[in-house]
Amino acid sequence: MAQEHIFKQMDADLEEVRSRVLQMGGMVEEQITKSIEALTSGNLELADEVIANDHRVNALEMLIDGECTQIIARRQPTAGDLRLIMTVERAITDLERIGDKAEKIARMAKKIHGADRISVPRFSEIRHMSEMVLEMLRTALDAFARLDTTAAAQLKRQDVEVDDEFDAVLRHLITFMMEDPRMITTAIDILFAAKAVERVGDHAKNIAGYVVYMAKGKDVRHASMEEMEREIEQ
Amino acid sequence: MAQEHIFKQMDADLEEVRSRVLQMGGMVEEQITKSIEALTSGNLELADEVIANDHRVNALEMLIDGECTQIIARRQPTAGDLRLIMTVERAITDLERIGDKAEKIARMAKKIHGADRISVPRFSEIRHMSEMVLEMLRTALDAFARLDTTAAAQLKRQDVEVDDEFDAVLRHLITFMMEDPRMITTAIDILFAAKAVERVGDHAKNIAGYVVYMAKGKDVRHASMEEMEREIEQ
């Protein structure tokens, strides 16, 4: 009976952590959506909101991290439960970085629109890129929630598409700068914003990758440890 | 006696992991040093070497991660030992990212010098930035090795200096592009390389921060969990 109680408690703890991760995912998704809206529409109140809310993302990361550490210390999980916790630790690092990107995009929105600069191009492409990475983020969170290992391959493909889209934005910005060198400063700010959007895709891809690690489990990794040692010494 | 044996085994395991982290730190330091040399001198063999060696950094990260997971599963560490392992997990993520930056810098070196483009400016500033971040990395690894919590504040200050230096590089590159729009593509590549160097400083700062977390321990974090909940709900 005592043993059963411990298992149930562990399950409840893990469920709590998992739902917290999804809460954090929803939070950063909203932050990214708002920051893109601020960038493309010039709504700077929205940009301020994103910047003001970044600390909530960070606080949630620390809360989840604290919960994970406590579960390990109190319940001494092994095998699958432990892997879930390690996966959560990694996923929240990526989610926190996505939150940083939202703040970065919001700051660039303020710089670009706040300086009352001339009207700015290429937002349709950045908007398109943003839709791509937001879909990737939702796919990754969904894969995490359902322990779906098939999403990783899909996200790898989508990440290549996002990289291509970023290269297209870059080429256009370079043309734009060459045509009108007075726009170089603004174009560089847009470039940094586009880069931040592109990085969101990388983090989404990472999260889907951790799900594969979690599902495959210890044995697979263990088998490859000697292989890794050989690779390091090469 | 059996208990004592377990403690000794735990210490040996933790010592092994710690020395692996320092090995990984040395490896990425070398990768960054070489990539900067490739960038500033145009030695593209060195750039190829950095790119070819990135997989060794990744393999070492996976090896350490596997060792950490095994220690948790087998020895069920608590308190300080557990915090050390969580700190290692975080530190190796940052070290792996530093490795990625070295690869990025090496790729930019190939693009910039390989295209037989006109001679390129501002490398003295990037060289200076590189020296700053390499010193930060060494300080962070040293702090990790000696569990020195005072380094974090120092690295925060140095990181601000590096950010300022990056802004100076950016301003110069913008001037450079305005003076000769044909150099825009090259200048953007240099900008990406400089950005990668700047990010190394961020990762070094992160690592020193984890050491503080490790030393302060669970109680401090635990005390602040309710505070964090309040912050999230705001």
Side-chain angles (χ1 to χ4, degrees):
Chain A
M1 272 301 276
Q3 191 71 357
E4 196 178 314
H5 172 74
I6 288 170
F7 286 143
K8 275 193 182 154
Q9 197 53 53
M10 173 85 88
D11 283 348
D13 284 354
L14 294 178
E15 196 44 48
E16 153 84 11
V17 161
R18 274 169 57 129
S19 75
R20 284 282 192 197
V21 172
L22 296 176
Q23 180 192 2
M24 188 175 173
M27 201 186 266
V28 300
E29 187 187 333
E30 193 185 334
Q31 287 281 90
I32 291 287
T33 305
K34 281 183 184 167
S35 68
I36 299 291
E37 183 59 28
L39 178 71
T40 54
S41 73
N43 180 341
L44 297 189
E45 279 176 35
L46 220 46
D48 284 330
E49 209 179 294
V50 169
I51 293 164
N53 277 334
D54 186 49
H55 76 102
R56 292 177 59 207
V57 177
N58 298 341
L60 191 46
E61 187 205 8
M62 290 179 69
L63 181 73
I64 297 170
D65 175 50
E67 287 180 347
C68 286
T69 311
Q70 282 185 21
I71 294 173
I72 296 179
R74 285 190 194 155
R75 315 240 178 261
Q76 310 194 323
T78 52
D81 293 340
L82 180 57
R83 282 200 303 280
L84 174 63
I85 292 170
M86 301 310 265
T87 304
V88 166
E89 285 281 357
R90 294 173 162 242
I92 59 176
T93 305
D94 283 87
L95 290 176
E96 192 269 330
R97 301 267 156 88
I98 293 177
D100 287 346
K101 299 307 165 204
E103 196 196 348
K104 172 96 186 176
I105 295 165
R107 287 194 190 282
M108 287 299 136
K110 288 184 78 171
K111 256 187 99 180
I112 293 164
H113 297 285
D116 210 18
R117 294 175 189 165
I118 331 161
S119 80
V120 173
R122 303 300 161 210
F123 281 144
S124 64
E125 282 164 344
I126 291 186
R127 211 180 257 278
H128 182 224
M129 251 180 86
S130 308
E131 281 160 14
M132 290 165 86
V133 300
L134 280 169
E135 196 202 313
M136 287 176 72
L137 177 57
R138 282 188 291 264
T139 304
L141 290 168
D142 195 47
F144 176 83
R146 299 188 296 119
L147 301 189
D148 171 12
T149 57
T150 63
Q154 180 195 333
L155 286 186
K156 258 191 182 165
R157 280 193 304 274
Q158 287 180 314
D159 191 47
V160 173
E161 286 170 32
V162 171
D163 290 351
D164 289 346
E165 191 76 15
F166 174 76
D167 287 341
V169 171
L170 175 57
R171 278 195 303 275
H172 282 133
L173 285 171
I174 289 175
T175 309
F176 179 64
M177 287 188 264
M178 285 180 165
E179 281 167 4
D180 186 354
R182 289 168 306 168
M183 294 299 285
I184 287 175
T185 302
T186 297
I188 298 267
D189 288 337
I190 299 172
L191 180 61
F192 282 140
K195 187 72 194 169
V197 174
E198 183 263 322
R199 297 286 291 141
V200 174
D202 292 338
H203 291 297
K205 185 183 65 174
N206 290 347
I207 292 170
Y210 306 147
V211 176
V212 176
Y213 154 70
M214 176 163 60
K216 273 193 182 167
K218 191 171 69 176
D219 292 341
V220 174
R221 294 181 64 85
H222 187 52
S224 59
M225 276 176 79
E226 279 181 24
E227 230 171 82
M228 279 182 260
E229 292 219 31
R230 278 197 301 277
E231 198 160 351
I232 294 158
E233 306 309 335
Q234 261 170 33
Chain B
M1 273 299 274
Q3 191 71 0
E4 196 177 312
H5 172 75
I6 288 169
F7 285 143
K8 276 192 182 154
Q9 197 52 53
M10 172 86 88
D11 284 347
D13 284 355
L14 294 177
E15 197 43 50
E16 153 84 10
V17 161
R18 274 169 58 127
S19 75
R20 284 282 191 196
V21 172
L22 296 176
Q23 179 193 2
M24 189 176 171
M27 200 186 267
V28 301
E29 187 187 333
E30 194 185 333
Q31 288 281 89
I32 291 288
T33 305
K34 281 183 185 169
S35 69
I36 299 291
E37 183 60 29
L39 178 70
T40 55
S41 74
N43 180 341
L44 298 190
E45 278 175 37
L46 220 46
D48 285 329
E49 210 179 292
V50 169
I51 293 165
N53 277 334
D54 185 50
H55 75 102
R56 292 176 60 207
V57 177
N58 297 342
L60 191 45
E61 187 206 7
M62 288 178 70
L63 181 72
I64 297 170
D65 174 50
E67 287 179 349
C68 287
T69 310
Q70 283 184 21
I71 294 173
I72 297 180
R74 285 192 195 153
R75 316 243 176 260
Q76 311 195 324
T78 52
D81 293 338
L82 180 57
R83 282 200 303 280
L84 174 62
I85 292 170
M86 301 310 266
T87 304
V88 166
E89 285 281 356
R90 293 174 163 244
I92 59 176
T93 305
D94 282 88
L95 290 176
E96 191 268 331
R97 301 268 156 89
I98 293 176
D100 287 347
K101 300 304 167 206
E103 196 197 348
K104 172 98 186 175
I105 296 164
R107 287 194 188 282
M108 288 299 136
K110 289 184 76 171
K111 255 187 100 181
I112 293 164
H113 297 284
D116 209 19
R117 295 174 189 165
I118 330 159
S119 80
V120 173
R122 302 301 162 211
F123 282 143
S124 66
E125 281 166 344
I126 291 186
R127 214 182 256 277
H128 182 224
M129 251 179 87
S130 307
E131 280 160 15
M132 291 165 85
V133 300
L134 280 169
E135 197 202 312
M136 287 175 73
L137 177 57
R138 283 188 290 265
T139 305
L141 290 168
D142 196 47
F144 175 84
R146 299 188 297 118
L147 301 188
D148 170 12
T149 57
T150 64
Q154 180 194 334
L155 286 186
K156 258 191 181 166
R157 281 193 304 276
Q158 287 180 315
D159 191 49
V160 173
E161 286 170 32
V162 171
D163 290 350
D164 289 346
E165 192 75 16
F166 174 77
D167 288 341
V169 171
L170 175 58
R171 278 195 304 275
H172 282 134
L173 284 171
I174 289 174
T175 309
F176 179 62
M177 286 187 264
M178 285 180 165
E179 281 166 3
D180 185 354
R182 288 168 307 169
M183 294 299 286
I184 287 175
T185 302
T186 297
I188 298 266
D189 288 336
I190 299 172
L191 180 61
F192 281 138
K195 187 73 194 170
V197 174
E198 183 262 320
R199 298 286 289 140
V200 174
D202 292 337
H203 291 298
K205 186 183 65 174
N206 289 347
I207 292 170
Y210 306 147
V211 175
V212 176
Y213 153 70
M214 176 162 61
K216 274 193 181 169
K218 192 171 70 176
D219 292 342
V220 174
R221 294 180 63 83
H222 185 55
S224 59
M225 275 176 78
E226 278 181 25
E227 228 170 85
M228 278 182 260
E229 292 218 33
R230 278 198 301 277
E231 197 160 352
I232 294 158
E233 306 309 334
Q234 260 170 34

